[in-house]
Each structure stands twice: as structure tokens, then as C-alpha cells.
Amino acid sequence: MDLIFEKSRTGRTASDIPSVDVPSIPLEGLIDEELLRKDVDLPEVSELDLVRHFTELSRRNFGVDLGFYPLGSCTMKYNPKINEEAARLPGFTELHPYAPASFTQGNLELMYELRLMLCELFGMADFTLQPAAGAQGELTGIMICKKYFEKKGEKRTRILIPDAAHGTNPASGALCGFETVTIPSNGEGGVDIAALREAMTEAVAGLMLTNPNTLGFFEKNIGEVARIVHDRGGLLYCDGANANAFLGRTRPGDIGFDLIQLNLHKTFSTPHGCGGPGSGPVGVREDLARFLPVPRVIRDQDRYRFSEDYPDTIGRVKAFYGNFNVMVKAYTYLKLLGGEGLKRTSDMAVLNANYIKARLSPYYDLAYDRMCMHECVFSGSRQVRSHEVHTLDIAKRLLDYGFHPPTIYFPMIVPEAIMIEPTETESKETLDAFCEAMIAIAREAEENPAQVRGAPCTTPVRRLDEVLAARKPNVSWPGEK
Ligand SMILES: *Cc1c(COP(=O)(O)O)cnc(C)c1O
């Protein structure tokens, strides 16, 4: 497909700009010569060519409105269209962040109420909505841990992280100056209790635990894990990026977690990808609330306002107040579903994942054979051993069957990992169609492995050299080198 620059013909235009009705003056002399742009070299195309170009591009893309999107550990929720309507209300989109509180009561109320709903759902005393992503929420949470020990006058230099964790966990620990110590998984894909007990000394600030973890398992020994960490004065941190497996069924605050970061863009809808938009609220138990970032939304009788009056705060972590549009969508989603609806959402997520696990387990090796939560993890090892077909080949072949591939090669402790998370709103027919494609590919791997290795063959581009694209990106304009 041609670039829009290649479609350009001098003089063609897709818009009519009215002629100026004020006197025009030359810019020479007013602006530095070297700052004056002479040859702008923008594409010049007609309206038809313009619309066709971008429509064609959009048809070569894949999105949730086109098909099933079973990406694991990155929860691509059902995103009700009413979320978009709500987020586009002019009262939300056309407000200046510096507008005085008297103009913004509705917005402040929404943030205040969202915070209360999250406290109730997760069993936490308080939440900040400021961080703009899960990773930034983690960083905020670990900064709070650090400040907590500083205030207590304790010097703790290490933080424990299971080997199944998302890469952002050790990164957040390291950014706060902690030495990160890896805790291995046990034979069931949970925390190895003996290893935890040994590593959890008084030099350790705490454990960052993802629950359910990236293998899709709820930590069976959570009570024991919490006891070990707390007995040594540590904090139990929950990476709650994918909390869609237990909403309304259990609360991290009730089972021993002291603080948690959520990913509103995963658990509470908002399509995300390619870096945003996100929102990573951090919830804390009562005695940690004084460390939360400022400004915070507070309520004086029936009025809302921002307050910076928290002397022990870790400070501000984001310009203004966070990604407000994501908060609007999460708020809409929560109100839309209510308590019972959220419970059902989680139940369906777990049911769907277990259905896929059961249907595919005769054809692919399971990383661990036990009940899963919202996602199930297979290994492509059998296909590698018998037919030299790798997980990457299977993922690429799925494109030919019209499905977005699941997450692959993560978690890293599973060789040739295939991590499938079916959205809770998908119908049985869709799940079956996906399973049948996976089964057909397993059969192809046996009978015609070259076909799988050569996939995809129906997409606009075949296999890209992803390393080259990352290492030597070509961002030049056409005609330049
Ligand atoms: C997605 C994810 C993160 C990071 O969240 P971002 O919003 O991408 O920064 C952290 N932990 C887990 C388990 C995740 O799935």
C-alpha cells in the first residue's frame, strides 16, 4: 500500500480554508530566519483519496470490534460503548484542569465516588487515582512502602518478587532503590513457601505478589504468605493489574494485602494498547493513607475540593490529577454493572478460561494442570518436540484463522508459553470457534508443519523482522534516506 505522501499531487486539497479577513504581514524579520519553515512538504490529496487511504489502513488493523482478542495478563475487557458516550460528555472533555473547584464539582464528585467504590470492592481504607498506568501505580505503591519504613526509622533494602511476576515489578522496586530478590514458584505455580520464609528477613520491605498470578492461579497459601511477611514487619503488596477474576468474591484487604495497585484500563474496561491511556490507582490500609500522593479530593459537607494538606505525602506523581477519561469509563462501568453484575463478570471470566483450558488440554500441554482463574497458560513444548513448530508459529497461524493471537512467551517461567485470557462477554460460539482454530493448528503441526511455520499467509504483510524494526526503525520521510 502506498504512503499518503506517495499519493500526493501538488495543488490537490481536501479542505477549503476561507481567505484571511485580516491584513497579512510577512514573517521575515519577525521570526528568526532559521526557524521559518519554507518547504512544508505535507501530502496534498483530495478528500476521497484521504478518506480511502485511512479507511483502507483501518481495515488492515485488528481490534476488539473486529474479533476475539484473547490476550493474557493484559485483560482486554469488554468495553461497553456507553463508556465512550460518558467519557465524551462536554462537561468532562472541555474542562480546563486549572478551572476552580466551583466549576468542577461534578468531576470532583466522580473522582471521590470512584475512590469510595474501589475502597469497598478491594477492602482498602483509601485510594489515590493519580498514577497513569499500572507500572506507575506500582512505583507509587513502593514509594509509599519506602516512606513508611523511613518514618518508622527502619532501614530495609530489599524487596521480594516471585519469578512469575510482570517485569514492571522488579523495575518499580529497583527505581525506588531496593535490591530485588526473586522467589521461585512451587510445583503448583504458587509461591514457594520455604523459599519465602528464608528470604523474608528484617532487611526486606515486603513482597510484591500478583494475585491471581500471571499463570492464572489464585495464591492458595495467601494466609501463610501474609503471616510470613507480616511476622517480620514487612508489607504485602498486591499487583492487582488483572483483578477481574475475583470482583465481589474476595477482597485483597481482607486476605492480608496492605496495599494494591489496580489497572482501571484492564479490570474496569477502557481499550488500551500501544502505551495508553491508562490509570493505576493505589489503595492502602488505614495507617498508610497519610503517605498517598497529593492533591487529594476531599469533601466538606456537600462540596468537593482539592487538598494538599498532607504533611507525610510522597508528593505528586502525575501532572494534574491522572487520566480523568479512564476514570469516567471505570465509573460508568462500575455503575452500569453494580455489585451483582461485577460478581457475574468475574464468574464468567473464570468460567470462560476454564472452558478453553478444558477444550484445548488434549492438544496442548498445560503449564500446570489445575483450576485456573481468568486466564490459562499452555506450553507449545509438545509441538516443538514433535514437529519443530514453535509457539510463535502457532500465534502467526492463528492470524490466518482470523483471530488475534494470545500473549506468547510470557510468563517466562513457562517454556513456549501460550497465555489465553478470553473476555468474559464472549459467547460460547466464539470460544468454540477459537478452540477449533487452535485444534486445527495442532493437527496442521502434525500433518503439515511447514504450513504453520510459514504462517501467516493471508495477512497484508507476512512475518516482520521485529528485531530490525525495533533496532533500526525507519522513520524517514519518503525520498529521504
Ligand atoms: C499490565 C500489567 C502491569 C503493568 O501495567 P501498565 O498499565 O501496562 O503499566 C503490571 N503487572 C501486571 C500483572 C500486568 O498485567
Side-chain angles (χ1 to χ4, degrees), residues 80-123:
K81 297 300 177 227
I82 195 169
N83 279 4
E84 303 295 326
E85 298 266 326
R88 274 178 208 154
L89 290 174
F92 294 141
T93 56
E94 286 176 20
L95 201 61
H96 195 281
Y98 282 138
S102 56
F103 287 12
T104 60
Q105 285 298 300
N107 302 54
L108 297 181
E109 184 176 357
L110 184 145
M111 291 165 81
Y112 188 88
E113 278 194 13
L114 177 58
R115 197 185 104 214
L116 293 188
M117 287 193 279
L118 296 180
C119 286
E120 186 182 334
L121 259 177
F122 293 93

Side-chain angles (χ1 to χ4, degrees), residues 73 133-135 138 166 168-169 210 214 239 241-242 261 263 265-266:
S73 190
E138 289 171 34
H166 198 272
T168 49
N169 289 190
T210 307
T214 65
D239 180 336
N242 305 282
Q261 122 270 339
N263 282 32
H265 48 294
K266 291 182 185 173

Side-chain angles (χ1 to χ4, degrees), residues 153-172:
E154 290 181 26
K155 184 141 180 58
R156 298 193 178 227
T157 54
R158 273 181 236 151
I159 199 146
L160 310 182
I161 298 170
D163 57 4
H166 198 272
T168 49
N169 289 190
S172 299

